[in-house]
Amino acid sequence: GDSVTQMEGPVTLSEEAFLTINCTYTATGYPSLFWYVQYPGEGLQLLLKATKADDKGSNKGFEATYRKETTSFHLEKGSVQVSDSAVYFCALRSRQNNNDMRFGAGTRLTVKP
Amino acid sequence: GAGVSQSPSNKVTEKGKDVELRCDPISGHTALYWYRQRLGQGLEFLIYFQGNSAPDKSGLPSDRFSAERTGESVSTLTIQRTQQEDSAVYLCASSLGQQGGQFFGPGTRLTVL
């Protein structure tokens, strides 16, 4: 079945460092892809999304590009801040079954000043 | 309301008891999802409601789990004869139809002793 695999954490970076959190997927057809973020003590929030190949989702300085050839949707940010400390979840929505969203296990990011 | 709300925020129960978890979606959101998140794991899809259509129950792990939704408003997730493996955070999300990004509630942390 459809699935998402993301980079295991935790990830610890210094402020202003470059961030990459890898995410790859397995799916029948072409799913929509998402990154969700969960800040400490808060609920999950949609960070960005891409619905077709080569689309780039972006928000709050984060970017991810839908790569069909490598079945990937890696999350990147050029310069992280302490306030980016959170758990990041990669997810896909199947085209065959729009009800079916599959989430990765989450990657905890800690940014130190 | 302004966001998705869930109650209770925490629930501790004894093995074998029934529990009921509540979700209030964002007003006007026709789609509602329930997920389970076990410690250190990703989100598991449980059930999906879309308007007045029959719910997608394909993610429910056993017949001890059931959910209802009244129209396009409140939903309740019921777990009967709870087991220790049911301990998890139960998350509710709503969206404007199937294609919209999901907005998550803060979750209910269930602990079965």
Side-chain angles (χ1 to χ4, degrees), chain B residues 87-103:
Chain B
S87 297
V89 176
Y90 289 82
L91 290 163
C92 174
S94 69
S95 68
L96 272 172
Q98 290 177 324
Q99 296 304 319
Q102 295 181 12
F103 292 79

Side-chain angles (χ1 to χ4, degrees), chain B residues 14-94:
Chain B
E14 294 179 348
K15 178 181 172 181
K17 300 282 190 183
D18 297 351
V19 296
E20 193 172 274
L21 313 180
R22 177 187 170 108
C23 171
D24 283 87
I26 293 173
S27 178
H29 279 193
T30 57
L32 187 147
Y33 301 76
W34 281 99
Y35 296 90
R36 176 171 69 180
Q37 184 179 21
R38 290 193 168 121
L39 186 64
Q41 299 185 23
L43 278 67
E44 301 171 63
F45 167 75
L46 296 177
I47 189 169
Y48 165 81
F49 296 91
Q50 171 63 50
N52 294 318
S53 302
D56 178 351
K57 304 180 182 180
S58 59
L60 294 178
S62 78
D63 59 7
R64 296 187 294 106
F65 287 72
S66 62
E68 294 184 349
R69 187 182 187 193
T70 307
E72 293 184 354
S73 60
V74 172
S75 175
T76 55
L77 176 70
T78 301
I79 309 173
Q80 295 178 308
R81 305 181 301 282
T82 52
Q83 304 295 312
Q84 287 184 332
E85 66 260 27
D86 298 335
S87 297
V89 176
Y90 289 82
L91 290 163
C92 174
S94 69

Side-chain angles (χ1 to χ4, degrees), chain A residues 49-88:
Chain A
K49 68 177 182 179
T51 57
K52 61 183 188 296
D54 300 325
D55 267 4
K56 177 186 285 188
S58 61
N59 186 23
K60 299 182 181 180
F62 290 88
E63 293 184 341
T65 301
Y66 190 144
R67 302 283 188 199
K68 187 180 68 172
E69 62 277 11
T70 54
T71 61
S72 64
F73 193 55
H74 303 323
L75 182 68
E76 296 182 336
K77 186 172 185 181
S79 175
V80 293
Q81 305 301 312
V82 172
S83 57
D84 294 327
S85 298
V87 181
Y88 293 82

Side-chain angles (χ1 to χ4, degrees), chain A residues 4-6 88-92 102-106, chain B residues 41-43:
Chain A
V4 170
T5 302
Q6 67 180 98
Y88 293 82
F89 293 87
C90 186
L92 69 81
R102 301 296 174 96
F103 285 79
Chain B
Q41 299 185 23
L43 278 67

